[in-house]
Amino acid sequence: MEGIQHKEVEVNGIKMHVAEKGEGPVVLFLHGFPELWYSWRHQILALSSRGYHAVAPDLRGFGDTDAPASVSSYTCLHIVGDLVGLIDSLGVDQVFLVAHDWGAIIGWYLCMFRPDRVKAYVCLSVPLLRRNPNVRTVDAMRAMYGDDYYICRFQKPGKIEAQMAEVGTEYVLKNILTTRKTGPPIFPKGEYGTAFNPDMTNSLPSWLSQDDLAYYVSKFEKTGFTGPLNYYRNMNPNWELTAPWSGVKIKVPVKFITGELDIVYTSLLNMKEYIHGGGFKEDVPNLEEVIVQKGVAHFNNQEAAEDVSNHIYDFINKF
C-alpha cells in the first residue's frame, strides 16, 4: 500500500476518512458492504500509476469515517451529500466515478441527483435499481424471498447485530467475502448461521490474504456493523424520498461490470433479464458496455482486480 496517503475531510457535518494516491483527473471509488476504502487497494495503485488521482473514502458509518447514531442519518440524500462535499473539497467540478455494491447504489443516486459532478461511471455489480412506483423496495424483496432473506433480516435495528456478535466479526466478514453461492442469501431462522456462504472452509481464496481479512476485521471490530446495516434500513425510506425521480433516465456515460457468479446478477429481482433484455439500456441511455466476467463472484474488484482496473482505465481514458 506504499504511497497511499490518508487524510480526514469535513463534509456535510461529519469527518470522512479518505485514502488517495496520484495526480491528474480524479477517480472517485465507492466501496460496498461489508467493505472499506481498502477494497480498492489494487485499483488505487493501478490508476494512480496511469496518470489519475485515485480517491477512496470510507463511506459514512464505515471504518475511520464518522458513524452518526440515528438510523435516519443514512438515507441516500445524506450519503450523496457527503460525496458532493468530498468532491468540493478536492477542488474539482467533476470526477470519474467507480463504485461497487452499496457504493454502486449510491453511485446511481449521485448520477441521478448531481449528474453535473460525474464525467463517466464505471459501475460494478449493482445496476440501476429501477424504482417501482407501486411497491416499496424491501416489501418487493420480502414478497419474493420471504422474511429470512438477508435484506429483510437486516431491517430491525439491533437484532442481526446480536446474531452477528454470536458468531464473531471475523466469521461474518469471511462468510460474506468468500461466498460463491449464486442463489438468494436466506438466513437460518433466528440466527446468523452459515448465511451467505454455507460452503465456507478454513482456507481463504487466492485474492484475499490473511492480512487483508485482518485489516477488515480490525476496523469492523472497532465500529461494529450498525452503521453499514443502516444503509439497508433506509431502502424503504429511500424509495419514498426518490419519488420525484421516478422514471428518470440516467444520462451519464456508463460501463457496467459484473461477475457471472455475482449473487446480485444471479438472484436479485430478475436482474439478468433487466441487464440483458433492454430495460437497463432504456433507463441508462448512455450505457456503453456490459461486461460479465467468467468464473468471478460478487467482489470482482478484488477477485479479478487487474481485469477490473484495465476495464476502468480503458473506459475513462476515452473522455
Side-chain angles (χ1 to χ4, degrees), residues 66-74 226-227 230:
D66 285 353
S70 162
V71 175
S72 60
S73 296
Y74 292 83
T226 297
N230 284 341

Side-chain angles (χ1 to χ4, degrees), residues 16-303:
M16 176 177 259
H17 165 250
V18 179
E20 62 181 346
K21 186 173 187 192
E23 289 178 11
V26 174
V27 184
L28 177 60
F29 293 96
L30 309 179
H31 66 79
F33 173 86
E35 299 178 88
L36 301 161
W37 74 268
Y38 189 79
S39 304
W40 298 109
R41 57 198 178 280
H42 307 294
Q43 288 77 28
I44 292 171
L45 299 178
L47 273 295
S48 63
S49 71
R50 297 186 193 179
Y52 290 92
H53 178 187
V55 177
D58 283 335
L59 293 175
R60 171 182 291 240
F62 288 84
D64 294 320
T65 291
D66 285 353
S70 162
V71 175
S72 60
S73 296
Y74 292 83
T75 72
C76 55
L77 298 178
H78 289 89
I79 298 153
V80 170
D82 298 345
L83 298 176
V84 171
L86 174 58
I87 295 167
D88 286 345
S89 80
L90 296 167
V92 295
D93 290 329
Q94 286 192 313
V95 297
F96 290 112
L97 183 64
V98 180
H100 173 258
D101 187 77
W102 253 107
I105 297 174
I106 298 302
W108 289 115
Y109 285 132
L110 179 61
C111 293
M112 195 182 287
F113 303 152
R114 294 302 303 271
D116 58 308
R117 307 310 297 265
V118 182
K119 208 174 292 182
Y121 181 20
V122 179
C123 176
L124 276 56
S125 177
V126 187
L128 181 69
L129 301 177
R130 180 188 281 178
R131 184 182 183 278
N132 180 339
N134 302 314
V135 58
R136 300 193 306 172
T137 312
V138 179
D139 301 2
M141 292 172 176
R142 199 181 299 277
M144 191 171 264
Y145 304 117
D147 292 339
D148 289 319
Y149 183 59
Y150 79 109
I151 289 173
C152 302
R153 284 282 290 275
F154 285 177
Q155 293 303 309
K156 196 163 191 250
K159 201 157 188 186
I160 195 70
E161 286 95 325
Q163 292 163 9
M164 287 174 164
E166 283 173 19
V167 296
T169 304
E170 181 168 348
Y171 180 96
V172 170
L173 290 167
K174 187 176 170 186
N175 184 258
I176 300 174
L177 291 168
T178 61
T179 187
R180 303 184 83 70
K181 181 174 179 261
T182 53
I186 310 292
F187 281 32
K189 276 260 178 279
E191 59 172 18
Y192 180 87
T194 49
F196 287 89
N197 186 3
D199 307 314
M200 193 166 95
T201 64
N202 284 330
S203 59
L204 292 171
S206 59
W207 54 268
L208 187 72
S209 72
Q210 198 59 53
D211 284 350
D212 295 333
L213 182 62
Y215 183 82
Y216 287 114
V217 172
S218 72
K219 296 300 178 187
F220 281 95
E221 284 277 353
K222 191 184 83 173
T223 62
F225 290 101
T226 297
L229 290 167
N230 284 341
Y231 284 62
Y232 294 93
R233 290 165 186 155
N234 277 284
M235 289 178 97
N236 277 350
N238 286 344
W239 178 88
E240 294 174 15
L241 289 168
T242 55
W245 290 271
S246 213
V248 76
K249 307 287 184 209
I250 302 292
K251 302 288 177 59
V252 170
V254 173
K255 180 177 195 168
F256 179 73
I257 311 169
T258 187
E260 69 170 350
L261 306 176
D262 188 316
I263 212 156
V264 176
Y265 181 64
T266 56
S267 76
L268 187 71
L269 302 174
N270 306 320
M271 201 51 79
K272 277 189 187 177
E273 186 192 329
Y274 174 69
I275 291 168
H276 301 294
F280 191 15
K281 177 74 174 171
E282 189 184 318
D283 292 340
V284 186
N286 296 320
L287 173 67
E288 295 193 12
E289 205 176 352
V290 170
I291 305 290
V292 180
Q293 296 170 306
K294 294 270 173 247
V296 175
H298 179 64
F299 296 94
N300 56 340
N301 51 340
Q302 297 178 76
E303 182 182 343

